[in-house]
Amino acid sequence: MAANWWLALIIMVVVNGITAWSLWTGERISPIARKWFFAVTNVIGLGLAISQFFWMDFS
């Protein structure tokens, strides 16, 4: 069970790292677009983190 939590943490750190890298090193975008990009990528990362719990439990 601890492996599930570590994998979920790694997924969220990687997704947020990619998000931060693309927001601060890329071209300038509006604050509204930046907020939505951050929110959408975090929802995707959260979905991946939650889905790995089911995948690891049933495989």
Side-chain angles (χ1 to χ4, degrees):
M1 186 65 177
N4 291 22
W5 290 105
W6 280 109
L7 187 57
L9 179 66
I10 290 169
I11 288 171
M12 289 304 292
V13 167
V14 167
V15 167
N16 279 314
I18 292 169
T19 303
W21 179 263
S22 64
L23 284 176
W24 283 284
T25 60
E27 63 186 49
R28 296 290 175 205
I29 57 174
S30 71
I32 295 171
R34 180 177 297 195
K35 179 182 74 170
W36 277 104
F37 180 69
F38 185 75
V40 168
T41 54
N42 274 298
V43 166
I44 291 170
L46 186 61
L48 289 172
I50 290 171
S51 68
Q52 66 84 24
F53 278 104
F54 295 111
W55 177 72
M56 288 184 79
D57 285 340
F58 295 124
S59 60

